[in-house]
């Protein structure tokens, strides 16, 4: 799991990232990111109920996303907020 300071937590941070961030979609993953002035990179991984109706499947997919983010975290540039959303669409 990412450290507490490395996670995006509040709804206002999510809303700001969705509204003003840049969106990229690739192979089942929707990525929103925006530069900030906080000095740290913060990441959130989201899997919706429409993607996986069962909580066990959602939590498993979220853990897989978090593991991928944890390995990429050291190479990300500082001062950026990232929201990674898993979707089951492939196009």
């Amino acid at each position: 799991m990412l450290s507490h300071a490395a996670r995006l937590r509040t709804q206002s941070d999510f809303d700001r990232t969705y509204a003003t961030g840049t969106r990229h979609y690739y192979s089942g993953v929707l990525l929103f990111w925006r530069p900030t002035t906080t000095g740290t990179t913060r990441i959130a991984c989201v899997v919706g109920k429409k993607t996986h109706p069962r909580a066990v499947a959602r939590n498993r997919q979220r853990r897989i996303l978090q593991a991928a983010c944890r390995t990429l975290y050291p190479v990300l540039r500082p001062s950026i907020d990232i929201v990674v959303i898993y979707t089951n669409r492939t196009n």
Side-chain angles (χ1 to χ4, degrees), residues 4-87:
H4 193 66
R7 286 183 273 162
L8 206 59
R9 294 179 303 274
T10 64
Q11 186 64 43
S12 62
D13 290 336
F14 276 86
D15 293 340
R16 225 175 293 127
T17 304
Y18 291 143
T20 62
T22 304
R23 177 191 314 199
H24 293 283
Y25 180 79
Y26 181 75
S27 185
V29 176
L30 181 61
L31 181 77
F32 288 90
W33 68 273
R34 73 178 192 92
T36 62
T37 58
T38 60
T40 66
T41 297
R42 300 183 301 171
I43 302 175
C45 298
V46 178
V47 180
K49 283 187 179 181
K50 287 184 180 180
T51 304
H52 288 297
R54 296 178 52 99
V56 172
R58 281 195 310 275
N59 290 337
R60 182 175 189 273
Q61 190 61 47
R62 185 176 44 81
R63 285 193 303 272
I64 291 169
L65 283 175
Q66 286 175 340
C69 291
R70 197 171 35 250
T71 59
L72 292 174
Y73 189 78
V75 297
L76 293 173
R77 71 177 194 189
S79 295
I80 189 169
D81 285 347
I82 302 171
V83 178
V84 181
I85 303 172
Y86 175 79
T87 62

